[in-house]
Amino acid sequence: MKKVTGKIVACVAAIAVMAGILCSCAPLYNRVGEMIRSVARVREHAKHEITVEEAGNLLSEAVNIGEAAVEEVYAGASDELRLARDTMKEYESVGITYDEVNGENWYGGKPLAGMYDAGCNTITNSAYTDIGAFVIIERDRAGNITDAYETDRENFKKLARIDEIENAEQGARKMGYDYKRENESVKGLDRKAFTRLENELRVKYHNQDVFVECTDYVFCFSKEDTLPISSRCYMDTSPYAAKVSIDYQQDGKIDLNLFDIDKTDQIIMDGLRADGSSGQSIDEVSDAIRKAVANAYGIDWKYVIADVMAV
């Protein structure tokens, strides 16, 4: 049994201004169908800038080269993002911490909207302009970090020499998305609880392009979204690889918390094992997997999307 998981942090390039290093990615999920959960390249961890235009080009490039190649490219991108996060560890001593569950840096109980470390790093994340913390780093003459303090947006802009920082609503409107607010918090949630909240909001705003600003997080949903519920699975004895997602856009009534990736992976592997080299077509294998997944979860198979490809 082989599985390609490729979980990657998601980035909202259209509303984030990232200079110095890229350490925090705003939450944009499945903007290019089910295949992309991240677009970011961090080249030299304290020297390279990623612009909105570059991020858009990466999206187009990812679509063109296809999903199999995307998984390989983003495995490397994920490593580079990890390097960037590691670089942020030097700020832990002054209260900037990284949350593995929601993928954000935090300061004083707020998501990091901006950090200015003169001569070293300048980071802004416009998704959190209205709800996050703008932080100034202080160093001594030897270059050692000594303190950090929160300031307001206007003072941050002045110190960092930034003309303008949009907020989540402005970013949403610019992308042609709706903007909603929810009185929900992600602070302290474990992975299961975070996923449950995300899924509840997905269903509430299904079939919409919308930014949902919570008290300390911003979700971004697209009407093209599907929910991945498996890894990419393949076997040496089968000519196919497959992964499965759920189309919850049809009526928004399906319980997205039903699904378990390991369980779905096993269903796929059983289907591929049954196929072997029997000469079944991709459509036949796809239908068999869709029906098996639907039966296992007690749902209509019209909701199940099986992406089967020859390997």
Side-chain angles (χ1 to χ4, degrees), residues 34-286:
E34 65 187 76
M35 61 181 270
I36 297 176
R37 294 184 67 91
S38 155
V39 174
R41 276 181 187 159
V42 182
R43 295 182 183 126
E44 295 180 28
H45 63 79
K47 299 177 182 178
H48 183 66
E49 296 184 2
I50 296 177
T51 66
V52 172
E53 182 179 1
E54 285 179 300
N57 290 339
L58 289 175
L59 278 169
S60 299
E61 176 186 342
V63 174
N64 292 334
I65 64 178
E67 180 176 354
V70 164
E71 289 176 346
E72 294 181 9
V73 170
Y74 288 157
S78 183
D79 289 340
E80 291 178 320
L81 286 168
R82 193 176 301 111
L83 173 62
R85 291 200 298 268
D86 288 344
T87 303
M88 288 297 292
K89 287 183 178 179
E90 68 173 320
Y91 300 105
E92 289 180 358
S93 63
V94 289
I96 295 178
T97 59
Y98 178 75
D99 191 316
E100 292 284 350
V101 172
N102 54 61
E104 294 299 338
N105 287 286
W106 292 71
Y107 181 84
K110 301 177 185 179
L112 193 66
M115 185 190 79
Y116 178 61
D117 183 2
C120 296
N121 294 309
T122 300
I123 300 166
T124 65
N125 189 334
S126 300
Y128 299 118
T129 295
D130 292 340
I131 59 177
F134 288 97
V135 179
I136 307 300
I137 303 298
E138 294 186 339
R139 294 178 181 261
D140 61 22
R141 291 184 178 181
N144 301 310
I145 295 175
T146 58
D147 199 5
Y149 64 91
E150 184 176 352
T151 188
D152 60 37
R153 174 170 44 170
E154 292 307 313
N155 190 49
F156 181 88
K157 285 164 52 180
K158 180 179 179 180
L159 291 173
R161 296 184 177 87
I162 296 175
D163 292 333
E164 189 56 53
I165 301 175
E166 292 183 345
N167 60 20
E169 182 173 8
Q170 290 170 316
R173 303 304 183 197
K174 189 170 288 187
M175 290 175 62
Y177 276 44
D178 288 335
Y179 169 81
K180 304 291 183 181
R181 288 181 178 173
E182 291 282 346
N183 189 29
E184 300 284 353
S185 172
V186 304
K187 197 180 306 177
L189 296 184
D190 60 21
R191 195 169 300 279
K192 185 175 182 179
F194 179 85
T195 300
R196 185 181 300 113
L197 172 60
E198 179 185 11
N199 287 343
E200 288 172 356
L201 294 175
R202 282 182 183 276
V203 172
K204 182 174 181 178
Y205 296 104
H206 77 284
N207 203 28
Q208 297 182 52
D209 294 328
V210 59
F211 277 40
V212 182
E213 183 175 278
C214 299
T215 60
D216 51 17
Y217 198 76
V218 178
F219 292 95
C220 180
F221 303 121
S222 166
K223 59 187 175 184
E224 303 298 327
D225 284 356
T226 58
L227 179 70
I229 63 168
S230 82
S231 310
R232 167 71 68 185
C233 301
Y234 63 100
M235 297 182 66
D236 292 336
T237 58
S238 173
Y240 301 116
K243 72 175 182 180
V244 172
S245 58
I246 295 297
D247 179 4
Y248 62 93
Q249 306 285 6
Q250 296 191 44
D251 59 26
K253 296 177 181 178
I254 193 167
D255 181 4
L256 302 186
N257 296 311
L258 280 173
F259 307 104
D260 178 81
I261 287 179
D262 290 336
K263 177 180 178 179
T264 312
D265 286 349
Q266 188 58 57
I267 296 169
I268 294 173
M269 299 307 296
D270 289 343
L272 295 177
R273 186 178 294 110
D275 161 58
S277 56
S278 62
Q280 287 182 301
S281 68
I282 285 180
D283 286 343
E284 289 172 329
V285 174
S286 176

